[in-house]
């Protein structure tokens, strides 16, 4: 498998901070992989993904994206490979209308107008927002705005999409629509690499791999199953426990049988059904 | 009160006027404002008011909405007209007190000021009600384009203007939320003397300012991540198109101008 | 304090092209010292409803009664101040309302406006800071130097310091991490118990409704479409789905178990209730 992102011994301290926000971080991400970054607020997740896009000026360590080592000279090239969606739907909406916003990146890249029109329409159709092309952002819901932000990225066809808590300010319905766009995109022929920061366990569970941040350090990485089965890790880093784990704990309190290892919700359902049948 | 004010608001719609090219609308509105000063006798006023009445009809919005919308501004117009009335010498003097007087010339000029002001404000209202802020920004940019020869940063200015306009509703919402939050903490915004009112503004302005800076920071990051390297070398998604309707509108105004000049001398 | 809405209607910007219905014929009663959740999709009228509780909005028609205070279209602003004091409002992202130079002064701002002396206000501020778990050493700092979670606690303390009897919370845990959410919800439950508050919580978290609420109000398109205990609200999963709402996680899981032949007297809403109802349907440990 080809590596699309390599981070080697990355450290960073904000100019006015008294301690480093990123502390000797190294990891790699394969092309086409879906990776979630989890960790409590202030653990350095946003700073980390900003470093990948050259949005902070780190002095120590290296970042390589799609074979290009990030440097002041290569930063615009690297940014072509990465599309970023941020947390606040309002603060990243540049255009005065939906279509204008999607076109923003294409305009920056100097894409000719006929080509631009085609790509704007295709991208808006991909996120199911074409019928709102002429709307102003003030008349859209949060979920719709985030889908427009995604369309702006889809139109640029980057190989990597980074989501920094893109769903955390949305209601459950808005969150669901954004996630289903992502799943759809994974199956399309763009099939971008996805790197998403999230607090939502069901969202993290969809990833192939999790990176766990704590106080500026990458303290663990592994499959969702491996991470979710480590109750101590989850508790010490302030993460939620999966529902299956919470239920198992409650079953134990009632003196009932519990599975010997971590099971996903679906697996626990199966397991309970099997135990029920043995009664 | 502010909610009532219509000048500066945009109401989305599909009327003939909504669809006119913003360049045409900007130029023609300015042109109308200039020729409003050609009015001299009652015939010319009738013509101009009939014309603006027709324009209001074309907006597809209700007449009473305009009347109520201009209402808050009427006092400003009346005030200006009264100043004219009291300070204009000439003609027959009906009344005077110190430097204040009411003269026949005064009555004439203040009536003219009142009526012209009304025409101008109604036209400005029509322009903003039927033209999206973005379209106005586009129109202004197109009209400023010749300034590029003197190295005026037209593209940059236009982008700044459109981003600023885009954030107006967001910031208004935020201001409303902060006001509510502070009212809930016992602040009275429209109560008490001047000093008290000014003090009440601090807990509104500081959070609004802090919030706006945060937003600007986020926006700059988002723009950079989307490849924005300055306003040069960009292509444009939105282009303005001149239609037959725009030509017709220009002709109509020119005809209006000619008729006006003729009626002036009757 | 008990709260009653009697046929309350609210219209935004009436008689203009921007006219919009905010509330349509809403009636309900909230008992004193209860915990009420308000749920419903975005734009359903939740925020409009709660802004009537302390007179930030006045009904276009109908009456809102809070204890013995009656709010109608005719209530003048002069009379609203006592309502503002007795009904504390924590807005969404309340940290956006901080403005003063120190944490302490920001928290004392409400009490000062409500006519407490400087000394009283400071002591109320210290008490409120303590109640929300802010360490003393932060009190002299600028609120803008704190972390997001701490800023939110300062803002909540700023509301509590005026000693409200009713606490209205509009999505108070939005944007926090899981531990922050859990701590904050536990904090509200404790505040309610210690200070005998009536709590109104606007939320999208059905698990919080299941865990904390005595009753819930369901809003849709400016109408109140259902009111009852969480058990009553979630009893009909089909109806819940039709309203674009979710079931609490445990209830959803229990639904799946029902299709596998498990039986429940009533739909369990929390992991604990579910485990209790599974007694007798699962083998005992160590057998
Ligand atoms: N612009 C900045 N200047 C100084 N410190 C910052 C800045 N942005 C973030 N920090 C600090 O860096 C740490 C990590 O922040 P962040 O990367 O945003 O974490 P996360 O995204 O995991 O919540 C926090 O302690 C935060 O206060
Ligand atoms: N200031 C306003 N002007 C006009 N309409 C508004 C305003 N605020 C809210 N509304 C409308 O009132 C309805 C209810 O909104 P709101 O109470 O904010 O819902 P919720 O809090 O459930 O998301 C929505 O349709 C919304 O568009
Ligand atoms: Mg972050
Ligand atoms: Mg709301």
């Amino acid at each position: 498998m080809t590596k699309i992102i390599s981070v080697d011994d990355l450290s960073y301290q904000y100019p006015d901070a008294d301690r480093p926000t990123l502390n000797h971080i190294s990891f790699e991400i394969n092309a086409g992989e879906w990776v979630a970054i989890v960790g409590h607020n202030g653990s350095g997740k946003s700073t980390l993904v900003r470093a990948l896009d050259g949005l902070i000026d780190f002095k120590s360590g290296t970042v390589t994206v799609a074979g290009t080592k990030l440097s002041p000279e290569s930063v615009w090239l690297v940014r072509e490979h990465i599309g970023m969606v941020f947390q606040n739907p309002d603060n990243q909406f540049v255009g005065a209308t939906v279509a204008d916003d999607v076109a923003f990146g294409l305009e920056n890249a100097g894409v000719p107008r006929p080509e631009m029109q085609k790509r704007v329409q295709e991208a808006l159709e991909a996120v199911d927002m074409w019928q709102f092309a002429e709307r102003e952002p003030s008349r859209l819901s949060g979920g719709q705005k985030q889908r427009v932000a995604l369309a702006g990225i889809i139109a640029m066809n980057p190989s990597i999409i980074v989501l920094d808590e893109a769903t955390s300010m949305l209601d459950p319905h808005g969150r669901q629509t954004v996630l289903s766009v992502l799943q759809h995109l994974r199956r399309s022929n763009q099939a971008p690499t996805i790197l998403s920061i999230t607090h939502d366990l069901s969202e993290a569970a969809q990833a192939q791999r999790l990176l766990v941040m704590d106080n500026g350090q990458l303290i663990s990485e592994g499959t969702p199953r491996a991470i979710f089965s480590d109750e101590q890790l989850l508790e010490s880093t302030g993460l939620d426990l999966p529902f299956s784990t919470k239920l198992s704990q409650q079953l134990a309190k009632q003196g009932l049988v519990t599975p010997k290892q971590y099971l996903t919700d679906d697996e626990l359902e199966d397991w309970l059904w099997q135990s029920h049948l043995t009664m | 009160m502010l909610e009532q004010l219509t000048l500066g608001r945009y109401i989305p719609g599909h009327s003939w006027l909504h669809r006119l090219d913003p360049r045409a609308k900007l130029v023609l509105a300015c042109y109308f404002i200039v020729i409003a000063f050609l009015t001299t006798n009652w015939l010319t006023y009738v013509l101009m008011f009939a014309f603006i009445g027709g324009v209001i009809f074309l907006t597809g919005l209700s007449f009473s909405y305009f009347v109520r919308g201009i209402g808050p501004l009427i006092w400003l117009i009346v005030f200006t007209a009264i100043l004219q009335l009291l300070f204009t010498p000439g003609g027959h003097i009906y009344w005077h007190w110190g430097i204040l007087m009411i003269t026949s010339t005064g009555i004439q000029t203040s009536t003219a000021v009142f009526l012209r002001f009304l025409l101008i404000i109604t036209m400005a209202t029509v322009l903003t009600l039927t033209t999206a802020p973005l379209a106005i920004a586009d129109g202004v940019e197109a009209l400023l384009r010749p300034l590029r020869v003197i190295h005026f940063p037209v593209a940059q200015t236009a982008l700044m203007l459109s981003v600023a306009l885009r954030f107006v509703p967001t910031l208004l919402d935020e201001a409303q939320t902060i006001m509510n939050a502070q009212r809930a903490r016992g602040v009275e915004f429209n109560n008490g003397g001047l000093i008290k009112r000014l003090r009440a503004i601090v807990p509104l302005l500081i959070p609004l300012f802090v919030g706006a800076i945060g937003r600007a920071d986020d926006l700059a990051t988002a723009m950079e991540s989307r490849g924005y390297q300055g306003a040069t070398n960009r292509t444009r998604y939105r282009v303005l198109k001149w239609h037959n309707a725009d030509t017709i509108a220009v002709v109509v105004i020119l005809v209006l101008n000619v008729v006006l000049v003729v009626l002036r001398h009757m | 304090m008990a709260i009653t809405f009697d046929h309350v209607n609210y219209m935004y910007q009436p008689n203009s092209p921007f006219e919009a219905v905010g509330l349509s014929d809403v009636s309900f009663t909230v008992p004193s010292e209860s915990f009420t959740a308000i749920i419903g999709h975005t734009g359903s009228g939740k925020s409009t409803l709660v802004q009537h509780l302390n007179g930030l909005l006045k009904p276009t028609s109908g009456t809102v009664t809070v204890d013995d205070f009656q709010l109608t279209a005719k209530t003048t602003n002069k009379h609203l101040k006592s309502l503002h004091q007795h009904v504390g409002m924590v807005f969404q992202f309340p940290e956006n309302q901080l403005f003063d130079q120190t944490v302490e002064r920001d928290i004392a701002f409400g009490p000062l406006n409500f006519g407490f002396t400087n000394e009283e206000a400071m002591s109320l501020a210290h008490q409120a800071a303590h109640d929300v778990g802010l360490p003393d050493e932060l009190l002299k700092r600028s609120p803008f130097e704190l972390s997001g979670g701490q800023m939110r606690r300062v803002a909540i303390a700023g509301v509590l310091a005026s000693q409200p009897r009713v606490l209205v919370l509009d999505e108070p845990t939005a944007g926090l991490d899981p531990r922050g959410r859990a701590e904050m919800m536990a904090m509200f439950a404790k505040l309610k118990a210690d200070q005998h508050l009536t709590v109104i919580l606007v939320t999208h978290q059905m698990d919080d409704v299941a865990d904390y609420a005595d009753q819930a109000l369901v809003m849709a398109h400016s109408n109140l479409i259902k009111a009852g205990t969480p058990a009553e609200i979630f009893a009909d999963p089909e109806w819940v789905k039709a309203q674009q709402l979710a079931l609490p996680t445990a209830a959803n899981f229990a639904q799946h178990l029902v299709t596998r032949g498990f039986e429940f007297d009533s739909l369990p809403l929390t992991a604990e209730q579910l485990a209790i109802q599974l007694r007798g349907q699962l083998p005992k440990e160590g057998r």
Side-chain angles (χ1 to χ4, degrees), chain A residues 53 55 76 79 86 90-97 99-101 103-105 107-108 110-111 113 116 120 137, chain B residues 10 12 134 163 166-167 169-170 215 218-219 221-229 233-239:
Chain A
D53 208 29
L55 293 167
W76 294 107
R79 283 179 192 160
F86 299 91
D90 273 316
N91 299 359
Q92 55 189 313
F93 207 109
V94 187
T97 69
D100 282 285
D101 189 62
F104 182 73
E107 291 178 327
N108 292 334
V111 175
R113 186 157 181 275
M116 191 143 64
V120 167
Chain B
Y10 169 62
L134 171 71
V163 170
R166 131 88 191 87
F167 272 89
T170 311
R215 283 182 197 280
D218 282 1
L219 184 72
T221 307
M223 286 172 70
E224 208 180 329
S225 81
R226 294 175 70 184
Y228 181 72
Q229 303 181 51
N233 299 326
R234 300 179 79 232
T235 45
R236 292 298 299 270
Y237 176 73
R238 189 166 288 275
V239 292

Side-chain angles (χ1 to χ4, degrees), chain A residues 13 18 29 34 43 62 66-67 105 113-114 156 161 166 168 205 239 252 267:
Chain A
Q13 179 160 354
D18 47 10
I29 289 175
W34 181 331
S43 59
T62 57
R113 186 157 181 275
M156 301 295 288
I161 295 184
S168 75
L239 295 169
E267 289 165 354

